């Protein structure tokens, strides 16, 4: 079955340090992977996605993510965290055309709360 | 280009009432998906509409329904409200159906509180 996991409910990092928010997935075909961010009382904002091609994907606000097929992971990273990066981060996965999981709906992780301390 | 808009932003209802939420997608987008977001369950998919047809449906009771109009605007309706329906309801739009590679863009959500 198609699934996505964000193993950490919360991540704390000091401003200026690198940050990583983890995501692992399970699909039957090749995955389409997405990262979104949600600020308090706001909707979700798109950060980046992996469809095919280079394993390292660069997105908005200096974020990037690395697709690792052998580890079925798509961790979100940023070299130097800002206090303004504090928010809720969601990973989502959809099965690719060769897969048949869940009618290829977008499946969401439960979110990781990132706190960047000044 | 204007983003996804949702109205109303906040809503307070009592148990047993019904509610209608509205979503206007980004201009040119024909696919609209609805999600329920709660702290414990994360984002739960409700349904997706494309070209006025429901393409996909999540595991919600029949009290939750939706529709899409010819201008791609969408509404969702919840009848006989229960306390557990209190949540943030998010609408997302994309050019093509969600089974594509297209990115979904989200509105700010409607915060529904059921008393």
């Amino acid at each position: 079955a198609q699934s996505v996991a964000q193993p950490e409910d919360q991540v704390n990092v000091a401003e200026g340090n690198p940050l990583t928010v983890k995501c692992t997935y399970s699909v039957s075909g090749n995955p389409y992977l997405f990262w979104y961010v949600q600020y308090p009382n706001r909707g979700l904002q798109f950060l980046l996605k992996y469809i095919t091609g280079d394993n390292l994907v660069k997105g908005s606000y200096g974020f990037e993510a690395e697709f690792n097929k052998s580890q079925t992971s798509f961790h979100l990273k940023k070299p130097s965290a800002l206090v303004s990066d504090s928010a809720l981060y969601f990973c989502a996965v959809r099965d690719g055309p060769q897969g048949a999981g869940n009618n290829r709906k977008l499946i969401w992780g439960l979110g990781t709360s990132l706190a960047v301390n000044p | 280009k204007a983003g996804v808009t949702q109205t109303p932003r906040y809503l307070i209802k009592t148990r047993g009432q019904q509610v209608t939420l509205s979503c206007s997608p980004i201009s040119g987008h024909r696919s609209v998906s609805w999600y329920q977001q709660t702290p414990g369950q994360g984002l739960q998919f409700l349904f997706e509409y494309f070209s006025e047809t429901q393409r996909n449906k999540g595991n919600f009771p029949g009290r939750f329904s939706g529709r899409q109009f010819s201008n791609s605007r969408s509404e969702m309706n919840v009848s006989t409200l229960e306390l557990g329906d209190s949540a943030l309801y998010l609408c997302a739009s994309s050019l093509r159906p969600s089974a594509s590679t297209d990115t979904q863009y989200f509105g700010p959500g409607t915060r529904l509180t059921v008393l």
Side-chain angles (χ1 to χ4, degrees):
Chain A
Q2 186 178 328
S3 66
V4 61
Q6 293 181 242
E8 300 158 318
D9 291 337
Q10 179 149 348
V11 170
N12 294 292
V13 64
E15 187 175 28
N17 282 2
L19 70 86
T20 299
V21 182
K22 296 179 181 177
C23 173
T24 59
Y25 66 89
S26 174
V27 296
S28 58
N30 293 317
Y32 296 160
L33 294 151
F34 302 80
W35 274 104
Y36 285 79
V37 60
Q38 185 178 35
Y39 297 99
N41 299 315
R42 303 280 296 276
L44 276 69
Q45 296 179 29
F46 169 72
L47 283 176
L48 51 81
K49 66 181 177 183
Y50 172 82
I51 303 300
T52 187
D54 288 342
N55 290 341
L56 186 63
V57 179
K58 293 188 182 297
S60 306
Y61 313 121
F63 284 93
E64 59 187 29
E66 185 168 10
F67 170 63
N68 187 317
K69 189 172 183 177
S70 63
Q71 298 187 5
T72 61
S73 67
F74 189 57
H75 301 332
L76 182 70
K77 300 183 180 184
K78 187 173 183 181
S80 178
L82 301 172
V83 172
S84 58
D85 293 329
S86 298
L88 192 56
Y89 290 80
F90 289 94
C91 179
V93 65
R94 176 183 301 139
D95 219 339
Q98 291 74 33
N102 294 333
N103 295 317
R104 302 186 58 224
K105 290 182 287 191
L106 199 56
I107 303 299
W108 295 82
L110 293 180
T112 297
S113 179
L114 173 67
V116 181
N117 307 305
Chain B
K1 189 181 276 191
V4 178
T5 58
Q6 292 186 245
T7 56
R9 292 291 312 276
Y10 301 92
L11 208 49
I12 299 175
K13 292 285 187 179
T14 56
R15 281 180 298 173
Q17 287 187 309
Q18 74 165 15
V19 66
T20 299
L21 311 182
S22 180
C23 171
S24 292
I26 291 172
S27 178
H29 285 194
R30 295 167 62 194
S31 176
V32 173
S33 297
W34 288 90
Y35 295 89
Q36 182 194 66
Q37 184 182 16
T38 55
Q41 298 294 321
L43 269 79
Q44 300 291 310
F45 172 74
L46 281 156
F47 26 67
E48 178 194 12
Y49 288 87
F50 180 77
S51 294
E52 302 178 65
T53 302
Q54 188 180 88
R55 287 182 59 94
N56 237 328
K57 190 176 188 306
N59 297 321
F60 278 83
R63 301 185 296 107
F64 292 81
S65 63
R67 59 178 175 168
Q68 187 180 35
F69 302 95
S70 58
N71 62 358
S72 295
R73 189 177 70 86
S74 178
E75 289 181 346
M76 67 163 282
N77 184 278
V78 188
S79 62
T80 319
L81 284 166
E82 301 177 359
L83 295 178
D85 297 333
S86 294
L88 181 66
Y89 290 87
L90 294 165
C91 164
S93 78
S94 60
L95 278 169
R96 296 175 294 174
S98 64
S100 70
T101 60
D102 290 355
T103 299
Q104 291 189 346
Y105 294 93
F106 283 79
T110 294
R111 172 74 63 185
L112 172 64
T113 302
V114 182
L115 302 176

